[in-house]
Coordinates of all heavy atoms in Angstrom, one line a residue:
A1209 N 25.6 -93.8 -77.0 CA 24.3 -93.3 -76.5 C 24.3 -91.7 -76.5 O 23.3 -91.1 -76.9 CB 24.1 -93.9 -75.2
K1210 N 25.3 -91.0 -76.0 CA 25.3 -89.7 -76.0 C 25.2 -89.0 -77.3 O 24.5 -88.0 -77.6 CB 26.5 -89.1 -75.2 CG 26.5 -89.3 -73.7 CD 27.6 -88.7 -73.1 CE 27.6 -88.7 -71.6 NZ 28.8 -88.2 -70.9
E1211 N 25.9 -89.6 -78.3 CA 26.0 -89.1 -79.6 C 24.5 -89.3 -80.3 O 24.1 -88.4 -81.0 CB 27.0 -89.8 -80.4 CG 28.4 -89.4 -80.2 CD 29.4 -90.2 -80.9 OE1 29.0 -91.0 -81.8 OE2 30.7 -90.0 -80.7
R1212 N 24.0 -90.4 -80.1 CA 22.6 -90.7 -80.6 C 21.5 -89.7 -80.0 O 20.8 -89.1 -80.8 CB 22.2 -92.1 -80.3 CG 22.9 -93.1 -81.1 CD 22.2 -94.4 -81.1 NE 22.1 -95.0 -79.7 CZ 23.1 -95.7 -79.3 NH1 24.1 -96.2 -80.0 NH2 23.0 -96.3 -78.0
R1213 N 21.8 -89.4 -78.7 CA 20.8 -88.4 -78.1 C 21.0 -87.1 -78.7 O 20.2 -86.3 -78.9 CB 20.9 -88.4 -76.6 CG 20.4 -89.7 -76.0 CD 20.2 -89.5 -74.5 NE 21.5 -89.3 -73.7 CZ 22.3 -90.2 -73.3 NH1 21.8 -91.6 -73.4 NH2 23.4 -90.0 -72.6
K1214 N 22.3 -86.8 -78.9 CA 22.6 -85.4 -79.4 C 22.0 -85.2 -80.8 O 21.5 -84.2 -81.2 CB 24.1 -85.3 -79.5 CG 24.7 -83.9 -79.9 CD 26.1 -83.9 -79.9 CE 26.6 -82.4 -80.5 NZ 28.2 -82.4 -80.4
E1215 N 22.2 -86.2 -81.7 CA 21.5 -86.2 -83.0 C 20.1 -86.1 -82.9 O 19.4 -85.3 -83.7 CB 22.0 -87.5 -83.8 CG 23.5 -87.6 -84.1 CD 23.8 -88.9 -84.8 OE1 22.9 -89.6 -84.9 OE2 25.1 -89.1 -85.2
K1216 N 19.5 -86.7 -82.0 CA 18.0 -86.7 -81.8 C 17.6 -85.4 -81.4 O 16.6 -84.8 -81.9 CB 17.6 -87.8 -80.8 CG 16.0 -87.9 -80.7 CD 15.7 -89.1 -79.8 CE 14.3 -89.1 -79.7 NZ 13.8 -90.3 -78.8
R1217 N 18.3 -84.7 -80.5 CA 18.1 -83.3 -80.0 C 18.1 -82.3 -81.2 O 17.4 -81.4 -81.4 CB 18.8 -83.0 -78.8 CG 18.4 -83.5 -77.6 CD 19.2 -82.9 -76.4 NE 20.6 -83.0 -76.4 CZ 21.3 -84.0 -75.8 NH1 20.7 -85.0 -75.2 NH2 22.7 -84.0 -76.0
G1218 N 19.3 -82.5 -82.0 CA 19.4 -81.6 -83.1 C 18.3 -81.8 -84.2 O 18.0 -80.6 -84.7
A1219 N 17.9 -82.9 -84.4 CA 16.7 -83.0 -85.3 C 15.5 -82.4 -84.8 O 14.7 -81.8 -85.6 CB 16.5 -84.6 -85.6
A1220 N 15.2 -82.5 -83.5 CA 14.2 -81.9 -82.8 C 14.2 -80.3 -83.0 O 13.1 -79.7 -83.2 CB 13.9 -82.3 -81.4
R1221 N 15.4 -79.9 -82.7 CA 15.5 -78.4 -82.8 C 15.3 -78.0 -84.3 O 14.6 -76.9 -84.5 CB 17.0 -78.0 -82.4 CG 17.1 -78.0 -81.0 CD 18.4 -77.2 -80.6 NE 19.6 -77.8 -81.1 CZ 20.4 -78.7 -80.6 NH1 20.1 -79.2 -79.3 NH2 21.4 -79.2 -81.1
D1222 N 15.8 -78.6 -85.3 CA 15.5 -78.3 -86.7 C 14.2 -78.2 -87.0 O 13.5 -77.4 -87.7 CB 16.3 -79.2 -87.5 CG 17.8 -79.1 -87.5 OD1 18.3 -78.1 -87.0 OD2 18.5 -80.1 -87.8
K1223 N 13.3 -79.2 -86.4 CA 11.8 -79.3 -86.7 C 11.2 -78.2 -86.1 O 10.3 -77.6 -86.6 CB 11.3 -80.7 -86.1 CG 9.9 -80.9 -86.4 CD 9.4 -82.1 -85.8 CE 7.9 -82.4 -86.1 NZ 7.4 -83.8 -85.6
V1224 N 11.6 -77.8 -84.9 CA 11.0 -76.6 -84.2 C 11.2 -75.3 -84.9 O 10.4 -74.5 -85.0 CB 11.5 -76.6 -82.7 CG1 11.0 -75.2 -82.0 CG2 10.9 -77.7 -81.9
A1225 N 12.5 -75.2 -85.4 CA 12.9 -74.0 -86.2 C 12.1 -73.9 -87.3 O 11.6 -72.7 -87.8 CB 14.3 -74.0 -86.4
Q1226 N 11.9 -75.0 -88.1 CA 11.0 -75.0 -89.4 C 9.5 -74.5 -89.1 O 9.0 -73.7 -89.7 CB 11.1 -76.3 -90.0 CG 10.2 -76.5 -91.3 CD 10.7 -75.5 -92.4 OE1 11.8 -75.2 -92.3 NE2 9.9 -75.3 -93.4
Q1227 N 9.1 -75.0 -87.8 CA 7.6 -74.7 -87.5 C 7.6 -73.2 -87.1 O 6.6 -72.5 -87.4 CB 7.3 -75.5 -86.4 CG 7.0 -77.1 -86.6 CD 6.7 -77.9 -85.4 OE1 6.9 -77.4 -84.3 NE2 6.4 -79.1 -85.6
D1228 N 8.6 -72.7 -86.5 CA 8.7 -71.3 -86.1 C 8.8 -70.4 -87.3 O 8.1 -69.4 -87.4 CB 9.9 -70.9 -85.2 CG 9.7 -71.6 -83.8 OD1 8.6 -71.8 -83.4 OD2 10.8 -71.6 -83.1
R1229 N 9.6 -70.7 -88.4 CA 9.5 -70.0 -89.6 C 8.1 -70.0 -90.3 O 7.8 -69.0 -90.7 CB 10.6 -70.6 -90.5 CG 12.0 -70.3 -90.1 CD 13.0 -70.6 -91.3 NE 13.1 -72.0 -91.6 CZ 13.9 -72.8 -91.0 NH1 14.7 -72.3 -90.1 NH2 14.0 -74.2 -91.2
L1230 N 7.6 -71.1 -90.3 CA 6.1 -71.1 -90.9 C 5.2 -70.3 -90.2 O 4.4 -69.6 -90.7 CB 5.7 -72.6 -91.0 CG 6.5 -73.5 -91.9 CD1 5.9 -74.9 -91.8 CD2 6.4 -73.0 -93.4
A1231 N 5.2 -70.3 -88.8 CA 4.4 -69.6 -87.9 C 4.7 -68.0 -88.1 O 3.6 -67.3 -88.2 CB 4.5 -70.0 -86.5
E1232 N 5.8 -67.6 -88.2 CA 6.3 -66.3 -88.3 C 5.6 -65.7 -89.8 O 5.3 -64.6 -90.0 CB 7.7 -66.0 -88.3 CG 8.2 -66.3 -86.8 CD 9.6 -66.3 -86.7 OE1 10.3 -66.1 -87.7 OE2 10.2 -66.3 -85.5
E1233 N 5.9 -66.5 -90.8 CA 5.3 -66.2 -92.1 C 3.8 -65.9 -92.0 O 3.2 -65.0 -92.7 CB 5.6 -67.1 -93.2 CG 7.2 -67.2 -93.5 CD 7.5 -68.4 -94.4 OE1 6.5 -69.1 -94.8 OE2 8.7 -68.6 -94.7
R1234 N 3.1 -66.8 -91.2 CA 1.6 -66.8 -91.1 C 1.2 -65.5 -90.4 O 0.3 -64.9 -90.7 CB 1.2 -68.1 -90.5 CG -0.4 -68.0 -90.1 CD -0.8 -69.3 -89.6 NE 0.0 -69.8 -88.4 CZ -0.3 -69.3 -87.2 NH1 -1.3 -68.5 -86.9 NH2 0.4 -69.9 -86.2
L1235 N 2.0 -65.2 -89.3 CA 1.7 -64.0 -88.5 C 2.0 -62.7 -89.2 O 1.5 -61.7 -88.7 CB 2.5 -64.1 -87.2 CG 2.1 -65.2 -86.2 CD1 3.1 -65.2 -85.1 CD2 0.7 -65.1 -85.8
G1236 N 2.9 -62.6 -90.2 CA 3.3 -61.5 -90.8 C 4.0 -60.4 -89.9 O 3.6 -59.3 -89.7
L1237 N 5.2 -60.9 -89.4 CA 5.9 -60.2 -88.4 C 6.5 -58.8 -89.0 O 6.8 -58.8 -90.3 CB 7.0 -60.9 -87.8 CG 6.6 -62.2 -86.9 CD1 7.9 -62.9 -86.5 CD2 5.6 -61.9 -85.9
N1238 N 6.7 -57.9 -88.3 CA 7.2 -56.6 -88.8 C 8.8 -56.7 -88.9 O 9.6 -57.0 -88.1 CB 7.0 -55.5 -87.6 CG 7.4 -54.1 -88.0 OD1 8.0 -54.0 -89.1 ND2 6.9 -53.1 -87.3
D1239 N 9.1 -56.6 -90.2 CA 10.6 -56.8 -90.6 C 11.3 -55.6 -90.2 O 12.6 -55.7 -90.5 CB 10.7 -57.2 -92.0 CG 10.1 -56.3 -93.0 OD1 9.5 -55.2 -92.5 OD2 10.0 -56.4 -94.1
L1240 N 10.8 -54.6 -89.8 CA 11.6 -53.4 -89.3 C 12.1 -53.5 -87.9 O 12.8 -52.7 -87.5 CB 10.8 -52.1 -89.5 CG 10.4 -51.7 -91.0 CD1 9.5 -50.6 -91.0 CD2 11.7 -51.6 -91.8
V1241 N 11.6 -54.5 -87.2 CA 12.0 -54.7 -85.8 C 12.9 -56.0 -85.7 O 12.5 -57.1 -86.1 CB 10.9 -54.9 -84.9 CG1 11.3 -55.2 -83.4 CG2 10.0 -53.7 -84.9
K1242 N 14.1 -55.8 -85.5 CA 15.2 -56.8 -85.5 C 15.4 -57.4 -84.3 O 15.4 -56.6 -83.2 CB 16.5 -56.4 -86.2 CG 16.3 -55.7 -87.6 CD 15.8 -56.7 -88.6 CE 15.7 -55.9 -90.0 NZ 15.1 -56.9 -91.0
C1243 N 15.7 -58.8 -84.2 CA 15.9 -59.4 -83.0 C 17.2 -60.3 -82.9 O 17.2 -60.9 -83.9 CB 14.6 -60.3 -82.5 SG 14.9 -61.4 -81.2
E1244 N 18.0 -60.1 -82.0 CA 19.1 -61.0 -81.8 C 18.8 -62.4 -81.4 O 17.7 -62.6 -80.9 CB 20.2 -60.4 -80.9 CG 19.8 -60.5 -79.4 CD 20.9 -59.9 -78.5 OE1 21.6 -58.9 -78.9 OE2 21.0 -60.4 -77.4
S1245 N 19.6 -63.4 -81.5 CA 19.3 -64.8 -81.1 C 18.1 -65.3 -82.0 O 17.2 -65.8 -81.4 CB 19.0 -65.0 -79.6 OG 20.0 -64.3 -78.8
Q1246 N 18.2 -64.9 -83.2 CA 17.1 -65.4 -84.2 C 17.0 -66.8 -84.3 O 16.0 -67.4 -84.7 CB 17.1 -64.7 -85.5 CG 16.0 -64.7 -86.5 CD 14.8 -63.9 -85.9 OE1 15.1 -62.9 -85.3 NE2 13.6 -64.2 -86.2
E1247 N 18.2 -67.5 -84.0 CA 18.1 -69.0 -84.0 C 17.5 -69.7 -83.0 O 17.2 -70.9 -82.9 CB 19.6 -69.4 -84.2 CG 20.4 -69.4 -82.9 CD 20.8 -68.0 -82.5 OE1 20.7 -67.0 -83.4 OE2 21.4 -67.7 -81.5
Q1248 N 17.1 -69.0 -81.8 CA 16.5 -69.5 -80.7 C 15.0 -69.9 -81.0 O 14.4 -69.1 -81.8 CB 16.6 -68.6 -79.5 CG 18.1 -68.5 -79.1 CD 18.7 -69.7 -78.6 OE1 18.1 -70.5 -77.9 NE2 20.0 -69.9 -78.8
P1249 N 14.5 -70.9 -80.5 CA 13.1 -71.2 -80.8 C 12.2 -70.2 -80.1 O 12.4 -69.6 -79.0 CB 12.9 -72.6 -80.1 CG 14.1 -72.8 -79.1 CD 15.2 -71.9 -79.7
V1250 N 10.9 -70.1 -80.6 CA 10.0 -69.1 -80.1 C 9.2 -69.8 -78.9 O 8.9 -71.0 -79.0 CB 9.0 -68.8 -81.1 CG1 7.9 -67.8 -80.6 CG2 9.7 -68.0 -82.3
T1251 N 9.2 -69.1 -77.8 CA 8.4 -69.7 -76.7 C 7.0 -68.9 -76.5 O 7.1 -67.6 -76.5 CB 9.3 -69.2 -75.3 OG1 10.5 -69.8 -75.4 CG2 8.5 -69.8 -74.1
P1252 N 6.0 -69.7 -76.4 CA 4.6 -69.0 -76.1 C 4.6 -68.2 -74.9 O 5.2 -68.6 -73.9 CB 3.7 -70.1 -76.2 CG 4.5 -71.3 -76.8 CD 5.8 -71.1 -76.6
V1253 N 4.0 -67.1 -74.8 CA 3.8 -66.2 -73.7 C 3.3 -67.1 -72.5 O 3.6 -66.9 -71.3 CB 2.9 -65.0 -74.0 CG1 2.7 -64.3 -72.6 CG2 3.8 -64.2 -75.1
S1254 N 2.3 -67.8 -72.7 CA 1.6 -68.7 -71.9 C 2.6 -69.5 -71.0 O 2.5 -69.7 -69.8 CB 0.5 -69.5 -72.3 OG 1.0 -70.5 -73.4
L1255 N 3.6 -70.1 -71.7 CA 4.6 -70.9 -70.8 C 5.5 -70.1 -70.1 O 6.0 -70.5 -69.2 CB 5.5 -71.7 -72.0 CG 4.6 -72.8 -72.8 CD1 5.7 -73.5 -73.7 CD2 4.1 -73.8 -71.9
I1256 N 5.9 -68.8 -70.7 CA 6.7 -67.9 -69.9 C 6.1 -67.5 -68.6 O 6.7 -67.4 -67.5 CB 7.0 -66.7 -70.8 CG1 7.7 -67.0 -71.9 CG2 7.8 -65.6 -69.9 CD1 8.1 -65.9 -72.8

Side-chain angles (χ1 to χ4, degrees):
K1210 285 184 178 180
E1211 292 177 0
R1212 288 194 296 271
R1213 288 195 297 270
K1214 183 177 180 180
E1215 293 175 358
K1216 187 176 181 180
R1217 288 193 298 268
R1221 282 196 299 268
D1222 293 341
K1223 183 178 180 180
V1224 171
Q1226 179 66 19
Q1227 292 175 351
D1228 289 343
R1229 284 193 294 270
L1230 295 176
E1232 291 173 357
E1233 293 175 0
R1234 175 175 54 85
L1235 294 174
L1237 297 182
N1238 191 341
D1239 55 1
L1240 294 178
V1241 181
K1242 305 298 183 182
C1243 167
E1244 70 179 35
S1245 303
Q1246 196 67 32
E1247 72 283 354
Q1248 296 297 321
V1250 176
T1251 304
V1253 173
S1254 58
L1255 294 181
I1256 296 177

